[in-house]
Amino acid sequence: MELHLDRTFKYYWLMFKKHDLAAGLTVFLVALPLCLGVALASGAPLYSGILSGIIGGVVVSVISGSQLAVSGPAAGLTTLVSAAIISLGNFETFLLAVMIAGVFQILLGVLKLGVFASYFPSSVIKGMMAAIGIILISKQIPLALGYNQPDFWSSGFIQIFTSTNFLGNLKEFNANITRGAVFISFISLAILIFLKQPKNKKYNILPASLVVVIFGIAINYLLTYFGSSYALKSNQLVNIPSNIFAELKFPDFTKILSNIEIWKNGLLIGTLATLETLLSIEAMDKLDKHNRITPVNRELMAQGVGNFFCGLLGAIPLTAVVVRGSANIQAGAKTKVSSFVHGVFLLLSVLLIPFLINLIPYASLSAILILTGFGLTKIKIYKSLFNLGWKQFVPFIITIVIILATDLLIGVSIGLLISIYYIIKENFKESYDLEKTHYQGIDQYILKLHSNVTFLNKVEIKNTLDKVPPYSSLIIDGTNIHFIDHDVLEIISDFVVKAHDRHIQLELINIKTVETAASAH
């Protein structure tokens, strides 16, 4: 036993020195601006995003069975988190929902229900993520423009086109825009797009998001130094408390039994966080050169523990995140120590250099999130699902529209119902087929029943039988049946009598009719 532990320690120490330390530092540089950006988009205190990243690195990585995944606040949860904070009234109450989400995930893991995400149609999941991308972009546009009024979408922007005083409204809108923020956003987007091009990989000495943040800080410093009117105001820069532990907010346990919305939001956050985690884990396993497979139920328990601590300590919820995991793999990570190291670096950054973090412009973060949003809702996804046919495209597009018009839960629920409708419709077609021939002046029909024939096929089979014309021949062949529902047997039994009355020559192959139904006539 001691020999085994000694070898394990030596293995991890060797990997740490050669690979995981450098990879952990790289992931930290990617994660820091994303933690801030996701918290900003969620309408939560900025420190709560970094705290979520710390918990994802220091807590989740220890429990997780994944060697390459990295957990932290995810862009895919921003819409839900933002709506939950507003509906629950304050951040302290929202933290209770995060704790409930964590407990829910732990239960899913304990009950070995990690496979449940496989039953969500991919078209609905992609529709959900695309809608989140659209919402993410729309939320960041005012910040990217440095718009200093709270009503950008409700009246500020819309008012330009809804009044006869077009030029006056345009002038007023223009007066509320910060030129420095627009310039930083434009430069940031240009840098991100340039560095993300495959042909420009040679320039990726630092993570693209970190380069954007550095440029944003440098531009605003120069504008401020030269006394330009374009310089950003203090409320357009990140504001992390010098001592975040003195500013932490904790859950308000007095409301946990009196507000049903807390439980509703908790289960919804837990479900969405689980879906995003399992999808991310699947992607990470595919990228693992050593073909290591993550135990999904253990991963759910790790994520659940992480989210429980997020709620308890005042952080926004976390998931396994593809962006961080991909950066981890590209940086040469070999074990989960790199994820732990990234969490330690996040902790040290808020303890030792909060003054540097507070130089970051919101405009830089908004550019990162806008491009993240485009990644979730890029045109290629729409084209690909459209090319797959209406069965995939309709649930996808309806999920997007309903989420944008109402909320995430309603949109996903209706998307699922549409997908189920197509499954049932397809089941109608696959459970039987009708062949028609003409022999010696008589129409001959063969109704072949396939595999499982359920009550869902009852109406279609009844209508098909009723359309068989008088003075014809019909064979109902059940040779390939594995299961046939009692309701369908009753329909066939009733038709035995109808066939006699309509002079239809009927033959049943490997089908036993329900005698009571036939004799009732």
Side-chain angles (χ1 to χ4, degrees):
M1 182 67 177
E2 288 182 5
L3 181 61
H4 174 73
L5 289 174
D6 185 53
R7 285 179 176 173
T8 303
F9 175 78
K10 285 183 178 178
Y11 170 76
Y12 276 100
W13 177 247
L14 181 64
M15 291 300 103
F16 173 73
K17 288 194 299 182
K18 292 186 66 176
H19 303 283
D20 292 334
L21 177 60
L25 177 60
T26 301
V27 177
F28 155 71
L29 296 174
V30 172
L32 179 60
L34 289 176
C35 287
L36 292 168
V38 171
L40 177 67
S42 302
L46 292 186
Y47 71 79
S48 67
I50 297 181
L51 189 55
S52 177
I54 293 169
I55 293 170
V58 175
V59 176
V60 175
S61 64
V62 173
I63 305 171
S64 170
S66 174
Q67 296 297 322
L68 298 175
V70 182
S71 297
L77 292 180
T78 54
T79 303
L80 183 54
V81 170
S82 176
I85 293 172
I86 293 170
S87 69
L88 294 174
N90 57 60
F91 191 64
E92 290 86 344
T93 307
F94 163 75
L95 293 175
L96 292 173
V98 180
M99 292 180 69
I100 290 168
V103 173
F104 175 63
Q105 287 183 294
I106 292 170
L107 286 174
L108 288 178
V110 170
L111 297 173
K112 301 189 183 303
L113 296 176
V115 296
F116 96 98
S118 304
Y119 294 100
F120 274 76
S122 63
S123 58
V124 175
I125 293 173
K126 288 176 182 175
M128 175 186 72
M129 300 309 292
I132 288 169
I134 293 169
I135 295 169
L136 191 59
I137 293 167
S138 69
K139 281 186 173 183
Q140 298 313 306
I141 288 176
L143 290 170
L145 296 175
Y147 190 75
N148 57 17
Q149 299 295 315
D151 56 353
F152 179 85
W153 290 113
S154 59
S155 62
F157 180 70
I158 303 297
Q159 189 175 329
I160 298 174
F161 309 99
T162 56
S163 171
T164 53
N165 188 20
F166 178 81
L167 290 177
N169 290 334
L170 185 60
K171 186 176 180 181
E172 183 180 350
F173 178 80
N174 187 51
N176 290 320
I177 288 175
T178 306
R179 299 293 185 276
V182 174
F183 182 65
I184 290 172
S185 299
F186 178 80
I187 294 295
S188 298
L189 283 170
I191 291 170
L192 286 168
I193 292 169
F194 176 80
L195 291 178
K196 286 185 181 292
Q197 299 299 317
K199 62 182 180 181
N200 298 324
K201 280 188 176 180
K202 58 186 176 182
Y203 300 109
N204 289 342
I205 301 170
L206 292 173
S209 57
L210 181 65
V211 174
V212 161
V213 164
I214 292 171
F215 265 87
I217 292 172
I219 292 169
N220 188 53
Y221 174 79
L222 291 173
L223 292 174
T224 305
Y225 181 79
F226 289 106
S228 171
S229 59
Y230 287 5
L232 301 181
K233 301 178 180 69
S234 59
N235 64 355
Q236 293 174 324
L237 301 173
V238 167
N239 183 19
I240 295 288
S242 56
N243 180 6
I244 68 166
F245 298 107
E247 301 286 334
L248 291 183
K249 294 182 179 180
F250 298 101
D252 182 3
F253 289 102
T254 61
K255 297 182 179 179
I256 195 164
L257 296 177
S258 61
N259 190 345
I260 192 67
E261 287 295 313
I262 295 172
W263 293 86
K264 174 187 169 185
N265 280 286
L267 294 177
L268 192 53
I269 290 169
T271 301
L272 184 54
T274 296
L275 281 173
E276 186 153 349
T277 288
L278 295 179
L279 291 170
S280 299
I281 288 295
E282 185 179 351
M284 291 304 98
D285 285 349
K286 287 178 181 177
L287 293 173
D288 188 357
K289 294 178 181 178
H290 299 285
N291 296 317
R292 291 168 291 191
I293 303 299
T294 302
V296 291
N297 294 310
R298 178 176 169 181
E299 184 63 31
L300 284 186
M301 286 189 276
Q303 296 289 327
V305 171
N307 276 321
F308 181 83
F309 277 104
C310 282
L312 188 64
L313 300 176
I316 54 177
L318 53 77
T319 73
V321 186
V322 171
V323 174
R324 293 176 180 84
S326 300
N328 194 32
I329 292 169
Q330 290 169 10
K334 298 297 181 184
T335 74
K336 59 184 179 179
V337 174
S338 63
S339 178
F340 184 87
V341 168
H342 118 277
V344 172
F345 277 125
L346 283 172
L347 177 60
L348 293 175
S349 70
V350 294
L351 289 178
L352 304 177
I353 55 167
F355 58 92
L356 285 179
I357 296 174
N358 287 344
L359 297 176
I360 300 173
Y362 284 148
S364 298
L365 299 179
S366 69
I368 294 168
L369 289 168
I370 285 172
L371 213 62
T372 302
F374 272 110
L376 294 172
T377 190
K378 51 191 173 187
I379 299 299
K380 186 167 74 173
I381 297 172
Y382 292 78
K383 286 182 178 177
S384 134
L385 282 155
F386 182 78
N387 291 335
L388 288 174
W390 293 112
K391 289 183 293 184
Q392 295 294 319
F393 187 71
V394 171
F396 167 75
I397 207 73
I398 285 179
T399 300
I400 294 173
V401 171
I402 300 298
I403 287 175
L404 296 178
T406 57
D407 63 36
L408 200 70
L409 181 59
I410 295 174
V412 170
S413 299
I414 291 178
L416 279 172
L417 288 175
I418 299 295
S419 293
I420 291 169
Y421 163 76
Y422 277 107
I423 291 169
I424 293 173
K425 186 177 179 182
E426 201 62 29
N427 184 60
F428 287 157
K429 295 178 181 177
E430 292 180 356
S431 292
Y432 70 93
D433 60 62
L434 185 68
E435 297 176 4
K436 178 184 176 182
T437 58
H438 194 76
Y439 181 70
Q440 293 184 348
I442 298 175
D443 289 332
Q444 294 185 329
Y445 296 87
I446 302 176
L447 180 65
K448 292 184 177 180
L449 304 178
H450 303 303
S451 191
N452 299 315
V453 185
T454 70
F455 72 94
L456 296 173
N457 308 111
K458 177 179 174 180
V459 174
E460 288 291 323
I461 289 176
K462 182 178 183 300
N463 292 338
T464 299
L465 291 174
D466 287 342
K467 289 176 183 177
V468 176
Y471 301 99
S472 60
S473 169
L474 172 64
I475 297 172
I476 302 178
D477 186 356
T479 304
N480 298 323
I481 288 177
H482 296 148
F483 167 80
I484 184 167
D485 197 282
H486 181 81
D487 286 1
V488 177
L489 286 175
E490 282 192 347
I491 294 293
I492 295 173
S493 298
D494 290 344
F495 187 75
V496 171
V497 177
K498 291 181 181 179
H500 181 266
D501 294 339
R502 292 161 57 186
H503 307 286
I504 297 172
Q505 182 181 344
L506 179 64
E507 181 183 355
L508 303 179
I509 301 176
N510 292 328
I511 292 177
K512 294 181 179 179
T513 60
V514 181
E515 297 298 328
T516 53
S519 61
H521 293 76

